[in-house]
Amino acid sequence: GGVGRRPGPKVDLYAEYDHKGGRAVPRLLELKTMAFCRTRYRDTDGNYPGRAVGRRADSLPVERMAELIKIDRDFFHTTPGQTGPMQARAQTFCTAGGPAFAALVIGAFGEWSDDLESFVGDLASMGARALQARMGAPSAAQARSTLLWKMRQEIGMCALRGHAKVIIARARLERTGTGTGNGGGTRTDSDDDGNPDEWAEGAYHLRRETRFGIGA
C-alpha cells in the first residue's frame, strides 16, 4: 500500500465478500508482515501477545487516510477540515462506521490482527457454504472449521517463508558486508569458510518447528 511514484494511492487488495455473514461489501485491504525489531516490538510487549500487531493494525488506516488527505490538499487544494474527493471515495469502503482500510497484519511470532482474523473467518464461512458437499463434510460448521485450519496453515507458511528470506538476506549481509562479496568480489554458496545460506536454512527450520510444530 501507500503512494507510488505517481501521485495516487496504492492498495494491496480490493475484495467484495460477505462481511460477518451480511451482504457482500467492497473492502480495501492492507497486508503487512512484521519483523522482530525495536521499531515494532517494545520491551513490555512480551507480557501481552498481540499488542505489537494491534498497534500496527491501528496505525495503518490512519496512515493511508493521511496520504489521501495530502493528495487532496496538493492536487485539489482542499483546506484543513474539508473532505476532498480522494478521502470521500475511500470513506465509501467503510463498514458500520469503521475505518476505510482493513489492516491484515501478521507478526513475527505468528500473531494475527483482528481484521485478518475476521477476513479469514469470513472467507471460511463463504467457502463452507459453497464447498460442504464437495468436501464431504457432515455440516457447514465442520467444513468451515476445516477451511479455517487450512487457510491458517497456508497464510502462516507464506509469512514464514517471507521471514526466512529476510534472515537469509541479513546473514549474507553479515557475512560479506554487501551481500555480494568481499572487496567487490563475488562469493559463492560453496565457500568453505562459512555458508550463510546453511545457517539461514537452519534458522528457518528451527523457527518453523517452534512456531507451527512442523518438523523439517
Side-chain angles (χ1 to χ4, degrees):
V3 178
R5 293 180 181 179
R6 294 183 179 181
K10 296 172 62 179
V11 180
D12 290 331
L13 297 169
Y14 168 86
E16 294 186 17
Y17 62 96
D18 298 340
H19 181 51
K20 296 184 178 179
R23 64 181 180 83
V25 295
R27 304 293 307 278
L28 299 177
L29 309 170
E30 284 289 314
L31 176 62
K32 291 289 179 286
T33 58
M34 291 171 45
F36 180 63
C37 61
R38 289 190 176 275
T39 304
R40 299 300 180 195
Y41 287 88
R42 300 173 184 171
D43 292 339
T44 55
D45 288 338
N47 297 324
Y48 303 94
R51 175 180 282 185
V53 164
R55 278 198 305 270
R56 186 67 183 116
D58 290 341
S59 67
L60 268 175
V62 178
E63 292 172 6
R64 295 296 169 264
M65 190 60 74
E67 292 167 355
L68 298 181
I69 293 173
K70 184 177 185 304
I71 292 174
D72 281 334
R73 291 178 180 175
D74 291 345
F75 294 92
F76 300 100
H77 309 294
T78 56
T79 58
Q82 180 183 3
T83 300
M86 301 296 291
Q87 182 182 2
R89 181 68 178 104
Q91 289 173 343
T92 63
F93 296 95
C94 296
T95 56
F101 298 89
L104 313 182
V105 184
I106 305 174
F109 302 98
E111 323 96 295
W112 284 21
S113 65
D114 291 342
D115 282 344
L116 181 55
E117 292 274 6
S118 177
F119 178 59
V120 173
D122 289 338
L123 296 184
S125 297
M126 294 167 59
R129 293 194 296 269
L131 300 175
Q132 176 184 349
R134 186 183 303 178
M135 295 170 63
S139 65
Q142 180 61 49
R144 182 183 185 279
S145 179
T146 301
L147 288 173
L148 193 58
W149 172 82
K150 186 171 182 59
M151 284 190 285
R152 283 182 178 277
Q153 291 291 315
E154 293 291 337
I155 293 172
M157 288 308 302
C158 285
L160 183 59
R161 290 190 183 98
H163 287 309
K165 289 180 180 179
V166 173
I167 291 173
I168 291 172
R170 287 177 176 173
R172 286 175 174 159
L173 183 62
E174 181 72 18
R175 181 69 182 88
T176 67
T178 64
T180 57
N182 293 324
T186 301
R187 289 185 62 90
T188 67
D189 291 340
S190 60
D191 288 337
D192 295 332
D193 57 342
N195 188 337
D197 283 351
E198 289 180 359
W199 174 86
E201 184 178 1
Y204 165 80
H205 287 301
L206 177 60
R207 208 171 190 186
R208 186 170 183 250
E209 293 168 9
T210 55
R211 186 184 301 180
F212 297 103
I214 301 173

